Amino acid sequence: MKLEFQTIFYDKIKSYILTAVFGIIAGLLVAFFSTFPKDDLWAFSYFSSETFGFWMFTTSIIVLFSEKTKNAFLNSTIYVGLMFAITAICKTITDYQIQLNQGSLEDYFFINNYNSFSEYIFKSIFNVILYSITSAIVCGVLGLILWNGRRNTKFSKLLLIAPAIYILFETVFMYYKLFTAHTMLFMSIIDTVCLILYIFIFSKYLFFKKAS
């Protein structure tokens, strides 16, 4: 028996377009925050790398509110794939602009074994596709598994609580870094909010009992 989960993402083109929009926005956020320093109090840059609490939260929301397992797979694949693709594209463009502005583009091509600009473009596109598709497929498979958290079984409840456990451990680590190294304040706040929201949203499903 399924829990009475609300369904937000249906097996419809409009839902997949909405997921794609979320993925693009997420990728742009990653690219934006990656421009900030890592070693100050707020450490905004860690929003885009080395921390996964926010992405665990948002992907879990998309998966668990998908209508079917197929939707869960496609939605998580689209969301993560586009996020990683946008991130990789922005990073490639930024690296190119930096080398161009520094006048060291030829050295950059030589170090990375690029024989021409067209080869650089080809390899950049290949790396973006490989980076995004690999991540998308992995998250899609995990989404298939997590979607079973909608069912009213002991195993499904373990699945349902798994993202919260991960976010909790990461939150504790963020606060550890905050108090010992005086950094990660932004991610400490973000992870705390994500953990509270996840518990608030899914606690009623976690404690749902099948009628006898």
Side-chain angles (χ1 to χ4, degrees), residues 143-202:
L144 279 175
I145 297 171
L146 180 60
W147 187 88
N148 289 285
R150 291 171 62 106
R151 303 182 186 280
N152 187 36
T153 65
K154 291 181 180 180
F155 178 66
S156 70
K157 292 183 178 182
L158 288 175
L159 289 175
L160 195 59
I161 202 173
I165 293 174
Y166 177 87
I167 299 171
L168 173 62
F169 276 107
E170 183 175 285
T171 303
V172 171
F173 179 72
M174 291 300 103
Y175 279 106
Y176 170 78
K177 295 291 290 185
L178 176 62
F179 290 115
T180 58
H182 306 291
T183 187
M184 300 288 194
L185 176 58
F186 182 64
M187 287 313 305
S188 297
I189 296 172
I190 291 293
D191 279 359
T192 301
V193 171
C194 288
L195 180 61
I196 292 171
L197 286 176
Y198 190 92
I199 293 172
F200 175 77
I201 293 170
F202 293 111

Side-chain angles (χ1 to χ4, degrees), residues 2 8 56 58 99 116 124 159 183 196:
K2 292 183 183 177
I8 299 174
M56 176 73 71
T58 53
Q99 298 301 326
S116 63
S124 296
L159 289 175
T183 187
I196 292 171

Side-chain angles (χ1 to χ4, degrees), residues 33-210:
F33 281 106
S34 65
T35 62
F36 288 85
K38 287 185 175 182
D39 55 356
D40 62 357
L41 175 62
W42 287 92
F44 288 108
S45 184
Y46 279 96
F47 180 80
S48 60
S49 63
E50 301 181 40
T51 59
F52 301 98
F54 178 80
W55 312 116
M56 176 73 71
F57 171 73
T58 53
T59 306
S60 297
I61 291 291
I62 290 172
V63 167
L64 290 168
F65 286 140
S66 291
E67 182 183 15
K68 307 171 184 175
T69 52
K70 180 182 78 171
N71 304 125
F73 175 79
L74 291 175
N75 284 329
S76 53
T77 299
I78 292 169
Y79 176 69
V80 173
L82 282 174
M83 178 182 70
F84 275 71
I86 295 296
T87 303
I89 291 170
C90 290
K91 186 179 185 305
T92 300
I93 293 172
T94 300
D95 289 344
Y96 177 79
Q97 288 178 332
I98 290 173
Q99 298 301 326
L100 187 64
N101 292 335
Q102 292 177 348
S104 57
L105 195 57
E106 291 183 2
D107 293 337
Y108 179 73
F109 280 9
F110 177 76
I111 293 171
N112 291 279
N113 296 317
Y114 298 131
N115 295 318
S116 63
F117 181 74
S118 59
E119 183 181 356
Y120 166 75
I121 293 296
F122 175 79
K123 287 186 177 180
S124 296
I125 293 173
F126 175 79
N127 289 335
V128 167
I129 293 173
L130 181 64
Y131 177 66
S132 57
I133 288 181
T134 302
S135 304
I137 291 175
V138 170
C139 289
V141 172
L142 292 175
L144 279 175
I145 297 171
L146 180 60
W147 187 88
N148 289 285
R150 291 171 62 106
R151 303 182 186 280
N152 187 36
T153 65
K154 291 181 180 180
F155 178 66
S156 70
K157 292 183 178 182
L158 288 175
L159 289 175
L160 195 59
I161 202 173
I165 293 174
Y166 177 87
I167 299 171
L168 173 62
F169 276 107
E170 183 175 285
T171 303
V172 171
F173 179 72
M174 291 300 103
Y175 279 106
Y176 170 78
K177 295 291 290 185
L178 176 62
F179 290 115
T180 58
H182 306 291
T183 187
M184 300 288 194
L185 176 58
F186 182 64
M187 287 313 305
S188 297
I189 296 172
I190 291 293
D191 279 359
T192 301
V193 171
C194 288
L195 180 61
I196 292 171
L197 286 176
Y198 190 92
I199 293 172
F200 175 77
I201 293 170
F202 293 111
S203 59
K204 61 181 178 180
Y205 301 117
L206 185 61
F207 296 107
F208 174 86
K209 294 183 178 180
K210 183 178 178 180

